[in-house]
Amino acid sequence: MATLNVQDYGADPTSGGDDSGAINAALDDASSGDTVLIPAVPNPDTDYYSIDPGSEVGVSLGASESGVTLAGEGYDSVLRQAGGRSGNMFTVRVDAGSSAITDLTIENLRVDGNARNNGGANNGWGIIVMKSDASQPQDRNIQVRGCWVEDALTAGIQVARATTVSYCTVANGDKHGISTTYARNMASGEVNRIDHCHTYGNTYYGVDMHGKAEVSNHRGENDGYGFKSSNDFDVYGAGTGHVHTCRNSKFEGWDIFGFQLTHPVEELYLEDVEVADGGGWGFRLSEGGNYYIRGNGIKTVNTGLTRGSEGGIRIGGQNGVNVVDESGTTAVMRVEDTNGNTGVAVNDSSSGSVDLVEYANVGTPVRENTSSGTNIESARQVSSVGAVSYPALSEVGAEAWGSDTTDTTDDTTTSDVEPASPMALTTTGGYAVTASGYAVTAGASVTPGTGGSAGNLVTDFESIADLGATFDYGDRAFLSTAANYEDGGSQSLAVGGSDGGYDEIVATPSASDPLPQFFEKGEVANYYVRADTKVGYTGAIFGAADDRNFYSFNIVWDLDGVVVYNKSGGSFTNVQQESWLSGVGDTNRWYQLRVVRDDGTLGGADDDIRLELRDPAADSTLWSYSFNDATHADAVGVGMHTNRFGSGATTFLDNIVKE
C-alpha cells in the first residue's frame, strides 16, 4: 500500500496553473490499497490546486480507482474550480460508466466550486458520484467523508448509489447542499447514506433526497429549504421505489419550508426530526406516500415567520398522503410557537392516524378540512413541547470528523446552545477576562428600542466574560467606567439605534472622550465576532484619540469579504476591499480580527500595520493585508462597531485581547 503525492506528479498550488492533469496522473498510477495524497497548500490565503482542465471534468475517478483513497490533509488541502467556465463543471467526478467501482474513498479535502466566478456555466458540482445509465452495473462501498465543499453551482455533493457521505460540511451553494439526485438502479437493501453532516447557506435545499436515501444526525442552517423528499428523477429498476428516512436531525433558519415533498414517494420515515426558525410550514407533508412517524416524533419551533398563514405542520392536500398507524408505535407531532398561525393543518387527500399532537403558543392548534381522512387521536396544550434528539453542531461536519462524538443529544441541552467562544483560554497580560478587561457579561442583553431612537440605555454591565453579549435590533447600551479599560480612560461602547434604526455598535472617539490608549507599537489586538444573519458588517476600530483619524476593519457578512476604511480629516477613504473570500462570512461561526502594530519586531517594518482575518477554531488565517502608516502615535485606541441592516439581525461580540 503506497502513498502517491500529487506534487511529485507536477501539481503546484502556488503556480495558478491547472493541477487536474497531475492529480489524475497520480490516480492512474494508484492500485487498490494505495492513497493519492493532496497535501495542504503553503498559504491558504492565496494558494490552491487549480482545476482548469479545458473540459468539463476535473479530477476523474473510474473503475480502475477501486480500492483507492483520494485524501487531503484537512481544510488547507483545497481544490478550486477555475473561473470563467461555460457548460458543465465537475470538480471531482466519480463515474465508472459501463463498469463498477468498489471500495473508493474521498476524504479530508476542501473543494471550492467557485460558482461566484462562473456565472456563465450551466451546472457545477463539487464532488459527484454518478451513473448516467440505469442499466449500468452497481457500484459498492463509496465513501465521501471529512470534506468541506463550498460555493458549488448545482450541488456541493451529489451521489448515485451505494455511497455514504459522512462528517462533511457543505456550504453556500447556488442550489443544493447534498443531493442523491442520480440515485439510479439501486438493488434491494442498497441505500445512499448521509450521516453527521452539516449544511448551511445553500440557496435551495440543504439536503435533496431521491431514490433510497437515509439522512441521520444532520444539522442544517440557513438553507432556502431544510430538506426535500422527492422522486422527480424516476429512473429506477423495476420494483425499487423511493424510500426515504430522516432521523435525529435538525434544520433551522430556512426561508420557505423546513421539510418539503415535491413528488410522491413510496415510504417516508421521520424519527426525531426538528425544524425551527423558518418562513413557512415546518413540515409540508403534501405529496402521496406512506408516512411513518417514529421515536420522539417530529417537532417545529418558531415557524410561519414570513409566509402568511403557514404554521407548523401541513398534512395532505394532494396525491393521497397516508400517515401509517403502526402497531406499538406512537406517532407524535410537536408544534411550538407558530407566530399566531395553525399548529397542524389536516387537508383533503389524506388518511391514516396521528396519535398525539402536542402544542404550545400556536393559533389554531388543529385545523381539519371536512373531507380530510387523517384522524388526530389526541391533542393537548403544554407549556413547552417535548424534546427530540439530535447532535450538537460541534458533533457534525468536517470539523468533527475523526473525533470522538456522541451520536445524539437531547435538544433541551443542544438546541439553544451557541457556538463556544474562542476566548476561554486566550487571556494574556491581564487585558482580557479580568475585572479590568474590555468585556461584558456573558449573555447580557438590552431591551430593543424603536427604529431610529436610542433604545434602552444600560450602563451597569459587569466586565467579566467568556462569551460576550447579545445585542438585538434597535438596542443601545454603554460601557463607560474607567475600570473597563486596563489603562483607564472613559469611553462609551454604543449598541444600535443611532443611524436610522440600524444596529450599530460603535466606539465614537472624540477629543473629550478618547479611545483608551493602551495599544502600543509592537503589540497585537484580537477581536472576536460572529453573526446570526448574513447582513451588514462588523469590525474593529483602531486609531488616534479623536474622530479625525482612525481605521475601521470589517467583515462584510453579505459579501463574504472584508473592507478596510480610513477616516482622516473627517472623511472616509476605502483602503482595501476583498469580496467572496473562501471561508469568510459564515453565520454562527466565530471569527478573529487581528490587528498587528509593528515596531520592526513582528515580521514587518517599523510603523507597519498588518490586518488578519482568522478562523480561531482551525487556527488558520483566511485573509491578510499590510500597509505602512506613521501618522499614529506610539499608542492608539481600540473599539468595535457593527451595522446590522435589518430587524432581528444579531451580532455576538467577545473581548478585545491584547498580546
Side-chain angles (χ1 to χ4, degrees), residues 306-349:
T306 61
R307 291 177 57 86
S309 60
E310 296 178 0
I313 300 170
R314 173 185 168 182
I315 305 172
Q318 53 191 321
N319 294 328
V321 170
N322 178 42
V323 180
V324 177
D325 187 7
E326 289 188 276
S327 176
T329 299
T330 302
V332 182
M333 296 182 175
R334 308 177 191 273
V335 182
E336 184 168 332
D337 192 3
T338 59
N339 292 284
N341 299 322
T342 301
V344 177
V346 184
N347 298 296
D348 56 6
S349 298

Side-chain angles (χ1 to χ4, degrees), residues 5 88 168 177 185-186 282 319 333 343 364 372 463 499 525 595 626 641:
N5 190 322
N88 293 328
C168 288
N185 191 26
M186 301 180 74
N319 294 328
M333 296 182 175
T364 302
S372 66
S463 55
D499 279 349
V595 181
S626 298
H641 71 160

Side-chain angles (χ1 to χ4, degrees), residues 326-394:
E326 289 188 276
S327 176
T329 299
T330 302
V332 182
M333 296 182 175
R334 308 177 191 273
V335 182
E336 184 168 332
D337 192 3
T338 59
N339 292 284
N341 299 322
T342 301
V344 177
V346 184
N347 298 296
D348 56 6
S349 298
S350 67
S351 61
S353 178
V354 176
D355 294 296
L356 173 64
V357 171
E358 193 177 63
Y359 64 91
N361 193 23
V362 302
T364 302
V366 177
R367 188 186 72 220
E368 296 184 75
N369 288 1
T370 56
S371 60
S372 66
T374 300
N375 180 39
I376 304 296
E377 298 284 352
S378 175
R380 69 185 182 199
Q381 183 176 6
V382 294
S383 58
S384 181
V385 303
V388 298
S389 182
Y390 52 79
L393 285 170
S394 61

Side-chain angles (χ1 to χ4, degrees), residues 227 246-247 249 251 271-275 283 297-299 388:
F227 66 122
C246 185
R247 64 169 68 92
S249 298
F251 301 84
E271 178 179 341
D272 284 67
V273 182
E274 178 177 326
V275 295
F283 289 87
I298 59 177
K299 176 179 177 180
V388 298

Side-chain angles (χ1 to χ4, degrees), residues 166-169 195-198 216-219 248 389-410 413-414:
S166 60
Y167 290 99
C168 288
T169 299
D195 183 49
H196 278 92
C197 291
H198 183 200
S216 302
N217 306 304
H218 190 92
R219 293 295 300 266
N248 301 112
S389 182
Y390 52 79
L393 285 170
S394 61
E395 296 171 331
V396 299
E399 293 84 356
W401 181 61
S403 63
D404 293 328
T405 58
T406 301
D407 281 351
T408 56
T409 53
D410 190 283
T413 59
T414 63

